[in-house]
Amino acid sequence: MAEILSALRSLMASHSPPLHALIVPSEDYHQSEYVSDRDKRREFVSGFTGSAGLALITKDEARLWTDGRYFLQAMQQLSDQWQLMRIGEDPSVDSWISDNLPREAAIGVDPWCVSVDTAQRWERAFAKNQQKLIQTSSNLVDEVWKNQPPAETNPVIVHPLEFAGRSVAEKLKDLREKLAIERARGIIITALDEVAWLYNIRGSDVSYCPVVHAFAIVTLNSAFLYVDKRKVSSKVSSSIQENGIEVREYGAVSSDVALLASNQLDKDTGLSSGRNDVCETGTCEAEENNNDLIWVDPASCCYALFSKLDAKKMLLQQSPLALAKALKNPVELDGLRNAHIRDGAAVVQYLVWLDKQMQEIYGASGYFLEGKGASKKRSETMKLTEVTASDKLEGFRATKEHFRGLSFPTISSVGPNAAVIHYSPQPETCAELDPDSIYLFDSGAQYLDGTTDITRTVHFGKPSEHEKACYTSVLKGHIALGNARFPNGTNGHALDILARIPLWRYGLDYRHGTGHGIGSYLNVHEGPHLISFRPQARNVPLQASMTVTDEPGYYADGNFGIRLENVLVIKEADTEFNFGDKGYLSFEHITWAPYQIKLIDLSLLTPEEIEWLNTYHSKCREILAPSMDKNELDWLKKATEPVSA
């Protein structure tokens, strides 16, 4: 690590102008949350492997900013050359730079790896002390990364209409109508899941996310896909071109954005597909003259492309595809429901297997009975670890129809590791399962018809009264949010409190958001909506046909962690009244797996909560029974027996 920092500082000193600091973000050229191995620059320089964070290297300091999900992990992974900066507790990176670096300091960043929003926020903060954000012409980390993995060249796949539910032609028509309404003549699409969704393509360039490294530009008359052409077979190329989309090399996006800015891009192609989609009334020329803006999403477009545009002719607002993608069509919703049934079956099969293993190997009392483990481990060959257990879970999922891999690295965590919110077990360092400790697993899969994400927390021995009280508080919050009814126009910021109130009663809380959207065979984390205490959760109201997770938790550092997570679909609510004629919304659970009765203090549940639990468990039995063998079904029946206070 010391050699990497030393090499970077040498490049910073020889840069023109010399750099007082270098910012190394987590993101790739598309501002992705999860990035390919080649793009893990922040991980390479810092050793911190979490998905979110930002590294700052100065002449004599190295600091890493990350959020509450990763405080414990970062403390464990950072060497003593690095200082951890806790987002929300310590000064932000731009404040710290403004206050701690000299006047007129030059701060370098690769403009491809930072969003417009972020770069402009930094520039405003730096201006106070005449400090400057310098766009480096190359990525300095790449220059010192001797064995940087090569760029991915995985094939582009067409996502069939039977799973996508809407054709590319329909999506392009809708998009062009939105461009016309906003007086824009073109849009630059940089988010990988938006490109994949719009053009009904998928790929495997980023682990766990079925996306392709690609940009798109859509104008009123043309559509372009910028991708490494080696990934596009002649069959796929024909399919893409049938929709009036021209395939160009990935690197050509830079020069094409410049052509777009000078209104030369459409003239540069023979394609004019889609003109009639917008201009059926014969007013096309007039519309084109009025439509002179280029639409750019400042949260996902990189600063490098933004810098090629005329600031006065730009529409800087959220991509219209973010909301269009979040509002699932009926085919996608049915696919998600079906995927979650298969996924729930895999999770139950895993729990049946795990229960048996814990009893046989460790003498645990098991999923249903309370008792201290007999610690009767037979031999090293028989031991269960966080990794071997999670591999088994993946194996159960892999037997299911349409399975295409995991949707994120499985969080399989026992005891103190379960308190590390985004813990990722490694074969060399992971813990062995323990019959006397809580076990938390947060996992999901990619199926052709939907993406899944579920968390369950279990104990195979005798949980303490405190663990039960904490689990029950988390469950109460989980139920309260899932049962909410709320008027149209309500955002996720307003609902977040529902999941926390049962925890707050005891002075407990958790440091992460409560819910995120989920893709349709796309990214497991999907905006633009979310349920969170963070201010951005106010930006987008929740709407019918969105998906969102419901995942409160509690984490006792160094001891245990608890989280429960289901995926919900937002639907119209059937209410007796309709105050203000707003229309009301509610949630439909589509995740199916039992909650462990042994971990619940039933005396803390209200009659309504007990009724909800029994109803949910009854549905689990009914929905999953056809996927179970006799042994699994017997276990499921026992796990979902009705309870009373």
Side-chain angles (χ1 to χ4, degrees):
M1 208 58 71
E3 309 86 73
I4 295 168
L5 290 174
S6 171
L8 281 172
R9 286 176 176 135
S10 168
L11 286 176
M12 287 159 59
S14 60
H15 189 274
S16 179
L19 300 176
H20 294 79
L22 178 69
I23 298 175
V24 184
S26 300
E27 289 77 15
D28 60 10
Y29 291 7
H30 307 269
Q31 311 312 302
S32 308
E33 177 187 17
Y34 294 111
V35 300
S36 69
D37 289 345
R38 178 182 181 77
D39 293 317
K40 291 180 178 174
R41 298 177 180 92
R42 187 226 61 226
E43 179 180 320
F44 170 73
V45 300
S46 69
F48 167 64
T49 61
S51 67
L54 177 147
L56 177 73
I57 299 157
T58 69
K59 289 174 182 174
D60 43 26
E61 286 193 75
R63 291 171 181 256
L64 179 113
W65 277 258
T66 192
D67 63 53
R69 295 172 298 169
Y70 291 115
F71 291 169
L72 283 178
Q73 181 178 332
M75 285 165 60
Q76 292 165 2
Q77 291 183 329
L78 292 175
S79 72
D80 53 13
Q81 288 157 322
W82 286 86
Q83 182 164 343
L84 172 62
M85 302 294 282
R86 294 170 170 82
I87 293 174
E89 297 178 14
D90 293 320
S92 63
V93 66
D94 43 334
S95 298
W96 189 90
I97 288 172
S98 176
D99 294 343
N100 290 276
L101 291 185
R103 286 179 75 78
E104 301 182 358
I107 298 99
V109 72
D110 180 347
W112 286 91
C113 296
V114 64
S115 72
V116 177
D117 265 352
T118 302
Q120 290 184 333
R121 188 177 72 246
W122 290 348
E123 286 180 331
R124 286 192 297 272
F126 300 164
K128 293 173 202 160
N129 282 323
Q130 283 81 55
Q131 297 164 336
K132 279 206 164 52
L133 184 67
I134 304 295
Q135 300 185 34
T136 60
S137 57
S138 64
N139 192 296
L140 302 192
V141 175
D142 292 355
E143 293 186 36
V144 304
W145 194 351
K146 296 293 181 251
N147 55 349
Q148 186 178 20
E152 302 281 354
T153 52
N154 302 313
V156 175
I157 297 153
V158 173
H159 192 48
L161 193 58
E162 65 177 291
F163 299 123
R166 295 194 73 216
S167 69
V168 177
E170 287 178 282
K171 292 177 181 180
L172 282 171
K173 182 174 185 291
D174 284 355
L175 176 57
R176 289 185 171 120
E177 284 171 0
K178 290 188 178 95
L179 291 180
I181 289 165
E182 296 287 351
R183 303 170 72 91
R185 59 182 170 83
I187 182 169
I188 303 166
I189 301 158
T190 52
L192 298 182
D193 60 338
E194 291 184 10
V195 176
W197 179 86
L198 177 65
Y199 289 162
N200 283 350
I201 56 173
R202 298 294 189 268
S204 54
D205 285 348
V206 179
S207 297
Y208 312 106
C209 308
V211 293
V212 181
H213 279 140
F215 294 95
I217 293 176
V218 176
T219 72
L220 293 171
N221 307 312
S222 317
F224 303 89
L225 173 67
Y226 299 88
V227 63
D228 182 337
K229 286 188 176 178
R230 292 175 297 174
K231 301 175 182 179
V232 186
S233 69
S234 54
K235 187 179 173 190
V236 169
S237 183
S238 300
S239 171
I240 292 171
Q241 287 171 3
E242 277 168 19
N243 288 302
I245 302 160
E246 183 173 335
V247 181
R248 298 197 170 186
E249 282 292 350
Y250 182 76
V253 70
S254 196
S255 53
D256 275 12
V257 165
L259 287 172
L260 179 67
S262 59
N263 215 354
Q264 299 298 303
L265 186 60
D266 283 340
K267 296 179 177 61
D268 194 40
T269 172
L271 293 173
S272 60
S273 164
R275 176 186 291 272
N276 292 334
D277 286 348
V278 177
C279 306
E280 289 165 355
T281 57
T283 56
C284 207
E285 290 309 313
E287 278 188 11
E288 281 196 29
N289 293 336
N290 289 333
N291 293 36
D292 202 30
L293 300 175
I294 305 300
W295 193 328
V296 167
D297 186 332
S300 62
C301 182
C302 60
Y303 208 44
L305 293 179
F306 167 85
S307 301
K308 296 179 180 298
L309 297 168
D310 179 348
K312 293 191 282 296
K313 293 187 175 180
M314 218 181 298
L315 177 64
L316 275 179
Q317 67 183 35
Q318 186 171 71
S319 164
L321 299 182
L323 183 59
K325 175 167 53 64
L327 296 171
K328 303 291 183 275
N329 64 57
V331 171
E332 290 174 317
L333 287 174
D334 283 345
L336 279 160
R337 290 185 185 102
N338 292 332
H340 279 83
I341 291 169
R342 295 193 301 278
D343 203 64
V347 168
V348 169
Q349 287 163 341
Y350 172 61
L351 285 169
V352 174
W353 172 83
L354 190 56
D355 186 16
K356 185 166 184 273
Q357 296 299 306
M358 292 301 289
Q359 291 181 57
E360 288 185 357
I361 298 174
Y362 298 101
S365 52
Y367 187 89
F368 300 107
L369 301 175
E370 290 194 38
K372 285 285 184 187
S375 302
K376 68 166 199 178
K377 195 177 73 167
R378 294 174 191 167
S379 69
E380 275 301 301
T381 55
M382 291 294 290
K383 80 174 184 178
L384 272 181
T385 70
E386 292 164 332
V387 168
T388 56
S390 71
D391 286 349
K392 189 72 180 179
L393 174 55
E394 183 177 356
F396 283 116
R397 283 192 163 111
T399 66
K400 305 302 177 195
E401 187 182 20
H402 300 321
F403 176 79
R404 289 296 180 274
L406 299 180
S407 55
F408 57 97
T410 298
I411 298 167
S412 170
S413 52
V414 67
N417 291 340
V420 181
I421 296 167
H422 266 215
Y423 175 75
S424 184
Q426 302 302 315
E428 316 78 47
T429 55
C430 68
E432 186 173 357
L433 264 56
D434 176 2
D436 298 318
S437 294
I438 271 180
Y439 173 64
L440 180 158
F441 62 102
D442 181 348
S443 64
Q446 295 287 4
Y447 302 95
L448 284 175
D449 52 353
T451 301
T452 68
D453 187 359
I454 175 175
T455 309
R456 289 295 183 264
T457 303
V458 293
H459 200 302
F460 294 99
K462 186 174 175 57
S464 70
E465 291 308 308
H466 179 58
E467 287 170 332
K468 284 186 184 182
C470 293
Y471 181 96
T472 309
S473 298
V474 171
L475 177 62
K476 284 169 77 74
H478 177 75
I479 293 171
L481 177 59
N483 279 345
R485 290 185 178 192
F486 48 95
N488 270 304
T490 304
N491 59 47
H493 193 274
L495 296 185
D496 180 75
I497 187 175
L498 295 175
R500 296 180 194 269
I501 285 174
L503 287 156
W504 286 354
R505 191 167 292 143
Y506 296 100
L508 305 177
D509 204 351
Y510 51 96
R511 287 193 180 99
H512 56 78
T514 305
H516 56 82
I518 193 162
S520 176
Y521 186 41
L522 268 177
N523 292 354
V524 73
H525 293 159
E526 180 177 273
H529 60 293
L530 68 161
I531 298 176
S532 176
F533 57 91
R534 294 191 172 89
Q536 61 262 40
R538 295 192 184 104
N539 296 348
V540 179
L542 301 176
Q543 296 179 40
S545 81
M546 284 178 169
T547 56
V548 69
T549 60
D550 171 3
E551 49 178 315
Y554 170 66
Y555 311 90
D557 290 357
N559 196 352
F560 65 87
I562 295 161
R563 184 164 61 255
L564 297 171
E565 175 184 22
N566 283 2
V567 173
L568 316 175
V569 171
I570 302 172
K571 62 177 185 174
E572 290 179 5
D574 183 16
T575 53
E576 187 177 351
F577 304 104
N578 183 17
F579 181 81
D581 288 330
K582 289 182 171 181
Y584 283 70
L585 300 171
S586 61
F587 294 114
E588 169 197 349
H589 285 258
I590 61 171
T591 298
W592 304 108
Y595 306 95
Q596 191 178 21
I597 302 300
K598 184 168 88 173
L599 266 171
I600 302 172
D601 182 342
L602 293 169
S603 70
L604 298 177
L605 296 186
T606 65
E608 292 79 12
E609 288 165 340
I610 286 176
E611 184 187 357
W612 182 88
L613 183 65
N614 286 336
T615 303
Y616 176 82
H617 275 167
S618 165
K619 285 183 185 169
C620 274
R621 260 197 322 277
E622 180 189 334
I623 287 168
L624 298 181
S627 309
M628 310 269 106
D629 66 22
K630 184 182 182 308
N631 177 45
E632 291 159 353
L633 186 54
D634 288 345
W635 186 97
L636 179 61
K637 283 177 178 170
K638 194 170 179 185
T640 55
E641 281 174 358
V643 296
S644 56

